[in-house]
Amino acid sequence: MNVLVINAGSSSLKYQLMHVESQEVLAKGICERVGSPASFHRYGTGPKEHQDDLPLEDHDQAIALVIDALTTGPAKAVDSLAAIDAVGHRVVQGGRYYPQSVLITEEVIGRIEELAKLAPLHNPPALRGIFACQHHMPGVPMVAVFDTSFFQSMEPKSYMYPLPYDLYEKHDIRKYGAHGTSHRYVAEQGARLLGIPFAESRLITLHLGNGCSASAVAGGKAVDTSMGLTPLDGLMMGTRCGAIDPAIVPFVMDLEGLDTAGVNNLMNKQSGLLGISGVSNDLRTVAEAADGGNSRAALALDLYAQSVKKYIGIYLAVMGGADGIVFTAGIGENSAMMRARILEGLEGLGIVCDPLKNAQGKGPRVISTDSSSTAVMVIPTNEEYMIARDTAEIVSAQ
Ligand code: ADP
């Protein structure tokens, strides 16, 4: 089955056309700066990349262009629209309604609209992507795959905040998590790599990209995660602060004369690696500055490693131990330096990184010593595959 995977952001639209059974990526690309005159479409697989600069007013025009690129032109992947069997949409917030991916119906669209109150920056563009596909691909079945679904298995003791209970009843204030599709994928793959049935495994998954989150996955189900009501909680990130003393918020608002938008901007866009280093949100740039003697960049790396290390400890306690720890996403997959810093000093907990294995290799692999009682793995994430697989399963069952 050929599934078109769509990830629509506020000004971007990423896509992949995947043959699900073979996991072959037939085409992929991204429309960026949608809604601005400087928009462009970058596409192609492997070394052959193309870029067309052209004004794209909205997601509707972007989808029309994507279909055109899939069926004609230099990166043509299929002869016609008829060869696209289904569309899978990444949707950030599924609230408490969707513990699994779901076939998109009018009712589902209504729920995604309703849940925009919890994800105002993410659910509305996902809807624009859905509407654009309905317009240009009438009759093609579509599935919504939610970032939050994997975490719906958490128990109240993990997802509730110790705030007045009526905030939960009135406004659905609770932990929903983020990056769920990635955590689900690498947890499944981690269990497979260790040769343990997923349903019997205990894993700590670390998605470390620009956004960062950690999860505890026991018995094939998420039992806890570091992201909260919003994707600001938990680990220190590229520009986000992660968990801080909540009293800092009103305190800084008073001291700096900030309104809610101002303090949100400060915590989401000006904090994390960028805020501490003053250099960049990009780990590579911060590491270069630290190597060059920049003490704030060095502090940013220390804080980051400490932030992830603490969550490993939390989730070891939550699950009473772990069979494996999985690193994934930009930093987790690529930065041997950061993995080593995070794992440093955990030997007493039975977590022993092998420096050679950590520094070498590509693809899914174990980087701990044979004697390490908790294995450490690096597993490249593949959210698109999970979206395509869920879509194929749901559409085939109709
Ligand atoms: P996003 O959350 O935007 O998808 P990514 O998963 O691409 O982000 O992760 C971006 C982060 O990964 C950046 O901090 C970047 O520095 C880091 N990164 C990417 N490649 C490497 C690399 N080869 N070595 C070290 N860090 C890397």
Side-chain angles (χ1 to χ4, degrees), residues 115-135:
L115 292 164
K117 70 175 183 194
L118 294 172
L121 300 179
H122 296 105
N123 274 24
L127 277 173
R128 291 200 282 280
I130 291 169
F131 293 144
C133 289
Q134 282 184 327
H135 180 200

PDB file of all heavy atoms in Angstrom, residues 115-135:
ATOM      1  N   LEU A 115      -9.735  20.460  20.088  1.00  0.00           N
ATOM      2  CA  LEU A 115      -8.478  20.298  20.828  1.00  0.00           C
ATOM      3  C   LEU A 115      -7.447  21.362  20.477  1.00  0.00           C
ATOM      4  O   LEU A 115      -6.361  21.396  21.073  1.00  0.00           O
ATOM      5  CB  LEU A 115      -7.913  18.900  20.596  1.00  0.00           C
ATOM      6  CG  LEU A 115      -8.754  17.780  21.229  1.00  0.00           C
ATOM      7  CD1 LEU A 115      -8.372  16.428  20.644  1.00  0.00           C
ATOM      8  CD2 LEU A 115      -8.590  17.784  22.751  1.00  0.00           C
ATOM      9  N   ALA A 116      -7.793  22.242  19.540  1.00  0.00           N
ATOM     10  CA  ALA A 116      -6.890  23.353  19.221  1.00  0.00           C
ATOM     11  C   ALA A 116      -6.683  24.227  20.456  1.00  0.00           C
ATOM     12  O   ALA A 116      -5.661  24.888  20.592  1.00  0.00           O
ATOM     13  CB  ALA A 116      -7.434  24.174  18.063  1.00  0.00           C
ATOM     14  N   LYS A 117      -7.621  24.180  21.403  1.00  0.00           N
ATOM     15  CA  LYS A 117      -7.437  24.978  22.632  1.00  0.00           C
ATOM     16  C   LYS A 117      -6.194  24.493  23.410  1.00  0.00           C
ATOM     17  O   LYS A 117      -5.568  25.257  24.125  1.00  0.00           O
ATOM     18  CB  LYS A 117      -8.701  24.937  23.505  1.00  0.00           C
ATOM     19  CG  LYS A 117      -8.938  23.582  24.147  1.00  0.00           C
ATOM     20  CD  LYS A 117     -10.104  23.558  25.107  1.00  0.00           C
ATOM     21  CE  LYS A 117     -10.156  22.168  25.726  1.00  0.00           C
ATOM     22  NZ  LYS A 117     -11.300  21.774  26.417  1.00  0.00           N
ATOM     23  N   LEU A 118      -5.858  23.197  23.254  1.00  0.00           N
ATOM     24  CA  LEU A 118      -4.680  22.658  23.946  1.00  0.00           C
ATOM     25  C   LEU A 118      -3.414  22.754  23.082  1.00  0.00           C
ATOM     26  O   LEU A 118      -2.310  22.663  23.601  1.00  0.00           O
ATOM     27  CB  LEU A 118      -4.913  21.189  24.333  1.00  0.00           C
ATOM     28  CG  LEU A 118      -6.004  20.921  25.370  1.00  0.00           C
ATOM     29  CD1 LEU A 118      -6.243  19.420  25.505  1.00  0.00           C
ATOM     30  CD2 LEU A 118      -5.638  21.515  26.724  1.00  0.00           C
ATOM     31  N   ALA A 119      -3.579  22.888  21.770  1.00  0.00           N
ATOM     32  CA  ALA A 119      -2.414  22.963  20.874  1.00  0.00           C
ATOM     33  C   ALA A 119      -2.688  24.020  19.806  1.00  0.00           C
ATOM     34  O   ALA A 119      -2.819  23.710  18.624  1.00  0.00           O
ATOM     35  CB  ALA A 119      -2.145  21.605  20.232  1.00  0.00           C
ATOM     36  N   PRO A 120      -2.771  25.293  20.225  1.00  0.00           N
ATOM     37  CA  PRO A 120      -3.194  26.342  19.278  1.00  0.00           C
ATOM     38  C   PRO A 120      -2.233  26.530  18.113  1.00  0.00           C
ATOM     39  O   PRO A 120      -2.638  26.986  17.051  1.00  0.00           O
ATOM     40  CB  PRO A 120      -3.259  27.608  20.148  1.00  0.00           C
ATOM     41  CG  PRO A 120      -2.482  27.302  21.375  1.00  0.00           C
ATOM     42  CD  PRO A 120      -2.522  25.822  21.579  1.00  0.00           C
ATOM     43  N   LEU A 121      -0.967  26.164  18.295  1.00  0.00           N
ATOM     44  CA  LEU A 121      -0.005  26.356  17.206  1.00  0.00           C
ATOM     45  C   LEU A 121       0.035  25.153  16.273  1.00  0.00           C
ATOM     46  O   LEU A 121       0.530  25.252  15.154  1.00  0.00           O
ATOM     47  CB  LEU A 121       1.405  26.583  17.762  1.00  0.00           C
ATOM     48  CG  LEU A 121       1.586  27.787  18.663  1.00  0.00           C
ATOM     49  CD1 LEU A 121       3.017  27.888  19.160  1.00  0.00           C
ATOM     50  CD2 LEU A 121       1.203  29.066  17.902  1.00  0.00           C
ATOM     51  N   HIS A 122      -0.458  24.009  16.725  1.00  0.00           N
ATOM     52  CA  HIS A 122      -0.250  22.779  15.958  1.00  0.00           C
ATOM     53  C   HIS A 122      -1.506  22.177  15.337  1.00  0.00           C
ATOM     54  O   HIS A 122      -1.469  21.719  14.201  1.00  0.00           O
ATOM     55  CB  HIS A 122       0.449  21.733  16.835  1.00  0.00           C
ATOM     56  CG  HIS A 122       1.823  22.155  17.234  1.00  0.00           C
ATOM     57  ND1 HIS A 122       2.137  22.605  18.489  1.00  0.00           N
ATOM     58  CD2 HIS A 122       2.972  22.208  16.520  1.00  0.00           C
ATOM     59  CE1 HIS A 122       3.421  22.925  18.534  1.00  0.00           C
ATOM     60  NE2 HIS A 122       3.948  22.682  17.356  1.00  0.00           N
ATOM     61  N   ASN A 123      -2.608  22.103  16.089  1.00  0.00           N
ATOM     62  CA  ASN A 123      -3.791  21.448  15.511  1.00  0.00           C
ATOM     63  C   ASN A 123      -4.393  22.220  14.323  1.00  0.00           C
ATOM     64  O   ASN A 123      -4.769  21.585  13.341  1.00  0.00           O
ATOM     65  CB  ASN A 123      -4.856  21.190  16.583  1.00  0.00           C
ATOM     66  CG  ASN A 123      -4.609  19.867  17.308  1.00  0.00           C
ATOM     67  OD1 ASN A 123      -3.483  19.384  17.342  1.00  0.00           O
ATOM     68  ND2 ASN A 123      -5.646  19.281  17.874  1.00  0.00           N
ATOM     69  N   PRO A 124      -4.460  23.560  14.370  1.00  0.00           N
ATOM     70  CA  PRO A 124      -5.048  24.261  13.208  1.00  0.00           C
ATOM     71  C   PRO A 124      -4.305  24.001  11.890  1.00  0.00           C
ATOM     72  O   PRO A 124      -4.951  23.688  10.884  1.00  0.00           O
ATOM     73  CB  PRO A 124      -5.029  25.737  13.628  1.00  0.00           C
ATOM     74  CG  PRO A 124      -5.118  25.679  15.132  1.00  0.00           C
ATOM     75  CD  PRO A 124      -4.286  24.488  15.516  1.00  0.00           C
ATOM     76  N   PRO A 125      -2.948  24.049  11.850  1.00  0.00           N
ATOM     77  CA  PRO A 125      -2.314  23.722  10.567  1.00  0.00           C
ATOM     78  C   PRO A 125      -2.527  22.269  10.145  1.00  0.00           C
ATOM     79  O   PRO A 125      -2.628  21.990   8.942  1.00  0.00           O
ATOM     80  CB  PRO A 125      -0.825  24.012  10.793  1.00  0.00           C
ATOM     81  CG  PRO A 125      -0.647  24.284  12.227  1.00  0.00           C
ATOM     82  CD  PRO A 125      -1.975  24.599  12.816  1.00  0.00           C
ATOM     83  N   ALA A 126      -2.612  21.343  11.111  1.00  0.00           N
ATOM     84  CA  ALA A 126      -2.885  19.943  10.741  1.00  0.00           C
ATOM     85  C   ALA A 126      -4.242  19.861  10.052  1.00  0.00           C
ATOM     86  O   ALA A 126      -4.409  19.141   9.057  1.00  0.00           O
ATOM     87  CB  ALA A 126      -2.858  19.051  11.983  1.00  0.00           C
ATOM     88  N   LEU A 127      -5.211  20.628  10.563  1.00  0.00           N
ATOM     89  CA  LEU A 127      -6.538  20.643   9.933  1.00  0.00           C
ATOM     90  C   LEU A 127      -6.466  21.214   8.522  1.00  0.00           C
ATOM     91  O   LEU A 127      -7.124  20.708   7.614  1.00  0.00           O
ATOM     92  CB  LEU A 127      -7.500  21.498  10.761  1.00  0.00           C
ATOM     93  CG  LEU A 127      -8.153  20.809  11.948  1.00  0.00           C
ATOM     94  CD1 LEU A 127      -8.942  21.817  12.767  1.00  0.00           C
ATOM     95  CD2 LEU A 127      -9.086  19.692  11.468  1.00  0.00           C
ATOM     96  N   ARG A 128      -5.644  22.253   8.347  1.00  0.00           N
ATOM     97  CA  ARG A 128      -5.518  22.831   7.001  1.00  0.00           C
ATOM     98  C   ARG A 128      -4.965  21.784   6.036  1.00  0.00           C
ATOM     99  O   ARG A 128      -5.386  21.696   4.887  1.00  0.00           O
ATOM    100  CB  ARG A 128      -4.642  24.090   7.030  1.00  0.00           C
ATOM    101  CG  ARG A 128      -5.316  25.256   7.761  1.00  0.00           C
ATOM    102  CD  ARG A 128      -4.692  26.594   7.387  1.00  0.00           C
ATOM    103  NE  ARG A 128      -3.417  26.844   8.053  1.00  0.00           N
ATOM    104  CZ  ARG A 128      -3.299  27.287   9.308  1.00  0.00           C
ATOM    105  NH1 ARG A 128      -4.372  27.554  10.020  1.00  0.00           N
ATOM    106  NH2 ARG A 128      -2.109  27.487   9.831  1.00  0.00           N
ATOM    107  N   GLY A 129      -4.028  20.966   6.514  1.00  0.00           N
ATOM    108  CA  GLY A 129      -3.488  19.884   5.683  1.00  0.00           C
ATOM    109  C   GLY A 129      -4.568  18.853   5.353  1.00  0.00           C
ATOM    110  O   GLY A 129      -4.649  18.361   4.221  1.00  0.00           O
ATOM    111  N   ILE A 130      -5.412  18.547   6.339  1.00  0.00           N
ATOM    112  CA  ILE A 130      -6.493  17.573   6.125  1.00  0.00           C
ATOM    113  C   ILE A 130      -7.498  18.122   5.094  1.00  0.00           C
ATOM    114  O   ILE A 130      -7.885  17.434   4.143  1.00  0.00           O
ATOM    115  CB  ILE A 130      -7.186  17.239   7.467  1.00  0.00           C
ATOM    116  CG1 ILE A 130      -6.229  16.445   8.366  1.00  0.00           C
ATOM    117  CG2 ILE A 130      -8.498  16.468   7.242  1.00  0.00           C
ATOM    118  CD1 ILE A 130      -6.688  16.285   9.814  1.00  0.00           C
ATOM    119  N   PHE A 131      -7.882  19.380   5.273  1.00  0.00           N
ATOM    120  CA  PHE A 131      -8.853  19.980   4.339  1.00  0.00           C
ATOM    121  C   PHE A 131      -8.275  20.038   2.920  1.00  0.00           C
ATOM    122  O   PHE A 131      -8.975  19.780   1.943  1.00  0.00           O
ATOM    123  CB  PHE A 131      -9.253  21.395   4.795  1.00  0.00           C
ATOM    124  CG  PHE A 131     -10.042  21.409   6.084  1.00  0.00           C
ATOM    125  CD1 PHE A 131      -9.870  22.424   7.017  1.00  0.00           C
ATOM    126  CD2 PHE A 131     -10.966  20.401   6.367  1.00  0.00           C
ATOM    127  CE1 PHE A 131     -10.589  22.434   8.212  1.00  0.00           C
ATOM    128  CE2 PHE A 131     -11.689  20.400   7.554  1.00  0.00           C
ATOM    129  CZ  PHE A 131     -11.500  21.418   8.479  1.00  0.00           C
ATOM    130  N   ALA A 132      -6.995  20.364   2.826  1.00  0.00           N
ATOM    131  CA  ALA A 132      -6.374  20.464   1.498  1.00  0.00           C
ATOM    132  C   ALA A 132      -6.383  19.096   0.818  1.00  0.00           C
ATOM    133  O   ALA A 132      -6.651  18.986  -0.386  1.00  0.00           O
ATOM    134  CB  ALA A 132      -4.950  20.992   1.638  1.00  0.00           C
ATOM    135  N   CYS A 133      -6.116  18.027   1.576  1.00  0.00           N
ATOM    136  CA  CYS A 133      -6.134  16.676   0.984  1.00  0.00           C
ATOM    137  C   CYS A 133      -7.556  16.279   0.609  1.00  0.00           C
ATOM    138  O   CYS A 133      -7.767  15.641  -0.427  1.00  0.00           O
ATOM    139  CB  CYS A 133      -5.531  15.653   1.943  1.00  0.00           C
ATOM    140  SG  CYS A 133      -3.764  15.830   2.124  1.00  0.00           S
ATOM    141  N   GLN A 134      -8.518  16.633   1.448  1.00  0.00           N
ATOM    142  CA  GLN A 134      -9.918  16.322   1.095  1.00  0.00           C
ATOM    143  C   GLN A 134     -10.279  16.989  -0.231  1.00  0.00           C
ATOM    144  O   GLN A 134     -10.972  16.429  -1.061  1.00  0.00           O
ATOM    145  CB  GLN A 134     -10.869  16.826   2.189  1.00  0.00           C
ATOM    146  CG  GLN A 134     -10.912  15.938   3.411  1.00  0.00           C
ATOM    147  CD  GLN A 134     -11.928  16.411   4.432  1.00  0.00           C
ATOM    148  OE1 GLN A 134     -12.163  17.613   4.566  1.00  0.00           O
ATOM    149  NE2 GLN A 134     -12.518  15.485   5.171  1.00  0.00           N
ATOM    150  N   HIS A 135      -9.757  18.213  -0.393  1.00  0.00           N
ATOM    151  CA  HIS A 135     -10.079  18.979  -1.596  1.00  0.00           C
ATOM    152  C   HIS A 135      -9.433  18.364  -2.844  1.00  0.00           C
ATOM    153  O   HIS A 135     -10.086  18.152  -3.855  1.00  0.00           O
ATOM    154  CB  HIS A 135      -9.600  20.428  -1.372  1.00  0.00           C
ATOM    155  CG  HIS A 135      -9.855  21.346  -2.520  1.00  0.00           C
ATOM    156  ND1 HIS A 135      -9.183  22.529  -2.697  1.00  0.00           N
ATOM    157  CD2 HIS A 135     -10.710  21.261  -3.580  1.00  0.00           C
ATOM    158  CE1 HIS A 135      -9.604  23.120  -3.797  1.00  0.00           C
ATOM    159  NE2 HIS A 135     -10.526  22.374  -4.350  1.00  0.00           N
TER     160      HIS A 135
END
